Amino acid sequence: MPRRLTFLLILGAALVIAGRSANAQTQIQIYGAWHCGNDFCTWSTVRDMTDFDTKNHWMIDRGDGSGLPSVNLVVLSFVQPLKLLNKTTDSQTLNGVPLGMNSAVVSYFKCFQCPCEREQAILIKSLFDG
């Protein structure tokens, strides 16, 4: 009986400690920005990246000296679904992707502190190169 009681006390203490450490985990937080470009959300013109950085640097650097981004999700809007589906190439799109949503813009927002950086770079390259 004393062994069983000791075992139950140890098991109970372990469960309490495990419960506390599980509750100490940080919740995932998403801070996003909906980016429409500078041409009425068409993204039909290629951006000058110096000007782009001047206007958007606050998103990738909080400005508080930490070097951390202000957001962790950027949505480049809007793609026209039918042009993308049909891989349309015209004065505003290349294979359905707006000309302004090029690899330079996407790479600008690439996650530099993630272990997934290499995989993201491969995905971005494949999206825009072929």
Side-chain angles (χ1 to χ4, degrees):
M1 184 74 166
R3 285 185 186 175
R4 182 182 248 180
L5 183 60
T6 303
F7 174 74
L8 289 175
L9 286 174
I10 292 172
L11 181 61
L15 289 174
V16 167
I17 291 170
R20 284 186 182 168
S21 66
N23 289 336
Q25 293 177 355
T26 304
Q27 294 281 332
I28 294 175
Q29 297 180 342
I30 305 291
Y31 299 99
W34 192 270
H35 200 302
C36 288
N38 66 342
D39 55 0
F40 310 104
C41 296
T42 65
W43 286 92
S44 62
T45 57
V46 177
R47 296 290 301 266
D48 171 80
M49 291 309 293
T50 303
D51 179 60
F52 189 83
D53 180 55
T54 300
K55 294 179 178 172
N56 297 288
H57 195 79
W58 67 272
M59 285 195 262
I60 63 169
D61 184 357
R62 294 179 188 174
D64 62 0
S66 68
L68 295 172
S70 299
V71 299
N72 56 12
L73 173 70
V74 176
V75 177
L76 302 178
S77 57
F78 293 87
V79 171
Q80 295 179 29
L82 287 178
K83 284 188 175 187
L84 186 59
L85 179 67
N86 297 326
K87 296 186 176 183
T88 303
T89 297
D90 58 20
S91 64
Q92 296 182 341
T93 61
L94 176 63
N95 292 324
V97 178
L99 298 174
M101 284 186 194
N102 58 24
S103 59
V105 169
V106 174
S107 294
Y108 182 84
F109 294 113
K110 188 173 69 168
C111 175
F112 294 104
Q113 297 179 345
C114 293
C116 56
E117 179 180 341
R118 185 176 185 285
E119 289 78 12
Q120 286 179 339
I122 291 169
L123 176 63
I124 289 167
K125 183 170 177 23
S126 67
L127 284 172
F128 289 98
D129 291 345

